[in-house]
Amino acid sequence: MAREGTVLLTGASGFVGSAVARRLRSAGFNVRALVRPTSPVAHLSDLSLDFATGALRDAEAVRNAMTGARFLFHVAADYRLWARDPNELTQTNVAGTRLLMQEAMRAGVERVVYTSSVATLTARADGTSADETMPLDEHQAIGVYKRSKVAAERAVEELIAQGLPAVIVNPSTPIGPSDVKPTPTGRIIVEAASGRMPAFVDTGLNMVHVDDVAEGHLAAFERGRIGERYVLGGQNASLAEILATVAEAVGRRPPRIRIPRRALMPFAHVSEAIARRTGREPMLTLDGLRMSKNKMFFSSVKAERELGYRARPYREGITDAIEWFRRAGYLRR
């Protein structure tokens, strides 16, 4: 694909979005970033982005930001496993996505890369890797975040059938630098590196460096097939292995205690009750525990074959994340 013309990018202030913004700029694109008025943008100051202000649900702001854009990368999402008002996730992830894609069609955008998630795929109960051939039914999704991402992906697919020139990418669990918020996974790294995770449950994740996810976005733009979805993952690892890798990186002893999932349910209830009063996101959630029943293991073979996608060892992502969290003041040396 030609790189002349403006890319409209949503989610540039977020973790994956900032990595995508950096990769697009290094590839020579002009990038217009649609950000909310309250979004942090200091970490983007070196990228020479053209900022447009507005929310995904603001039709006028979206239409204005779309004016003159040739391409669209929709990376923005409300990524929380708990929210005091769950409807906020649905409105941003589903209604906001549908509005943005409809405006892209109206404006004649030539190509769209939509950032979905492996949350829209069915994890295998036997612990083997799932792939793009296993879409998750919305009614079987655990928690409002997963349901919203499934519904958003289905909305994009409906619009693709009506002519939207979109490619879908499904990142697994990104880790690495510039996790400003941080994400739920980033919080686990911070807590583990600080010695505040003495135990673990028997689960697993597919971990991938955020810069490899950004590279996968560009590959999907250049080589992805319209209407197809591509898992952008890295390595499968048990939570015990992940925590041991974090511990090794900071010179701590890894946790040795495995706790039954059911034993943590009361603590999740208490954590969410406190969160409802304080408004602060709980460290432990009921949905998170329920999702941990199956190992979230995935395969990126399709992206490797069709896009030339490659991912580095997840250990490098953890190392880069820890170093960035230290520089940003989340961790003491």
Side-chain angles (χ1 to χ4, degrees):
M1 294 288 294
R3 297 182 179 183
E4 294 80 16
T6 296
V7 171
L8 175 61
L9 169 65
T10 70
S13 64
F15 182 36
V16 174
S18 64
V20 172
R22 198 167 297 278
R23 185 64 187 93
L24 289 175
R25 288 294 294 136
S26 69
F29 287 96
N30 296 317
V31 179
R32 180 182 302 147
L34 177 62
V35 296
R36 293 173 297 172
T38 57
S39 295
V41 295
H43 58 301
L44 305 173
S45 60
D46 62 325
L47 297 183
S48 301
L49 303 179
D50 172 22
F51 288 103
T53 303
L56 284 177
R57 290 172 281 169
D58 184 339
E60 183 177 0
V62 168
R63 190 171 296 121
N64 289 338
M66 197 78 68
T67 301
R70 186 178 178 188
F71 311 114
L72 169 65
F73 282 68
H74 178 30
V75 186
D78 192 336
Y79 177 26
R80 291 180 289 168
L81 299 184
W82 179 92
R84 179 182 276 175
D85 180 7
N87 188 55
E88 291 179 357
L89 278 77
T90 302
Q91 287 300 307
T92 297
N93 294 344
V94 184
T97 294
R98 183 179 290 110
L99 171 63
L100 187 71
M101 297 301 168
Q102 289 171 336
E103 288 300 324
M105 291 179 71
R106 186 195 63 81
V109 168
E110 296 177 27
R111 194 165 178 88
V112 176
V113 177
Y114 168 60
T115 309
S116 185
S117 167
V118 292
T120 69
L121 305 175
T122 303
R124 293 183 184 271
D126 63 1
T128 57
S129 296
D131 60 22
E132 298 86 349
T133 65
M134 304 177 65
L136 180 64
D137 185 280
E138 183 180 346
H139 301 293
Q140 296 178 334
I142 297 173
V144 66
Y145 171 72
K146 273 200 169 191
R147 288 195 296 273
S148 70
K149 290 300 289 183
V150 172
E153 187 177 279
R154 300 298 170 265
V156 172
E157 289 172 339
E158 290 172 6
L159 291 170
I160 289 172
Q162 298 173 29
L164 179 72
V167 179
I168 299 170
V169 293
N170 301 76
S172 59
T173 306
I175 51 175
S178 299
D179 192 355
V180 173
K181 193 175 181 180
T183 60
T185 312
R187 292 173 67 198
I188 289 174
I189 292 174
V190 169
E191 293 298 310
S194 302
R196 294 192 291 266
M197 288 193 69
F200 57 89
V201 296
D202 181 20
T203 190
L205 297 168
N206 183 284
M207 307 284 276
V208 59
H209 197 295
V210 70
D211 290 343
D212 294 331
V213 173
E215 189 68 38
H217 278 68
L218 183 60
F221 170 81
E222 294 179 329
R223 295 184 287 277
R225 290 182 287 142
I226 299 299
E228 293 293 319
R229 66 167 72 90
Y230 298 92
V231 171
L232 302 180
Q235 288 180 291
N236 296 323
S238 69
L239 181 56
E241 291 171 331
I242 293 165
L243 296 179
T245 301
V246 174
E248 180 184 352
V250 297
R252 291 186 180 275
R253 290 184 178 180
R256 301 292 187 187
I257 304 170
R258 188 174 75 179
I259 300 180
R261 201 169 287 102
R262 62 181 179 275
L264 290 173
M265 285 296 181
F267 295 97
H269 279 287
V270 171
S271 183
E272 290 192 7
I274 294 171
R276 282 191 290 272
R277 289 199 300 269
T278 64
R280 297 181 62 183
E281 197 168 347
M283 184 63 196
L284 186 62
T285 68
L286 292 168
D287 286 341
L289 281 177
R290 291 170 184 138
M291 283 187 280
S292 71
K293 181 180 179 181
N294 291 328
K295 292 181 172 65
M296 300 294 288
F297 288 169
F298 298 93
S299 168
S300 302
V301 168
K302 180 179 177 180
E304 292 168 2
R305 182 179 64 248
E306 296 191 17
L307 307 181
Y309 173 75
R310 296 291 182 271
R312 71 198 79 181
Y314 82 89
R315 178 183 299 269
E316 295 183 28
I318 286 179
T319 301
D320 288 350
I322 289 171
E323 183 57 35
W324 186 87
F325 282 133
R326 281 172 168 162
R327 292 198 309 270
Y330 294 80
L331 288 172
R332 294 181 180 179
R333 289 191 176 275

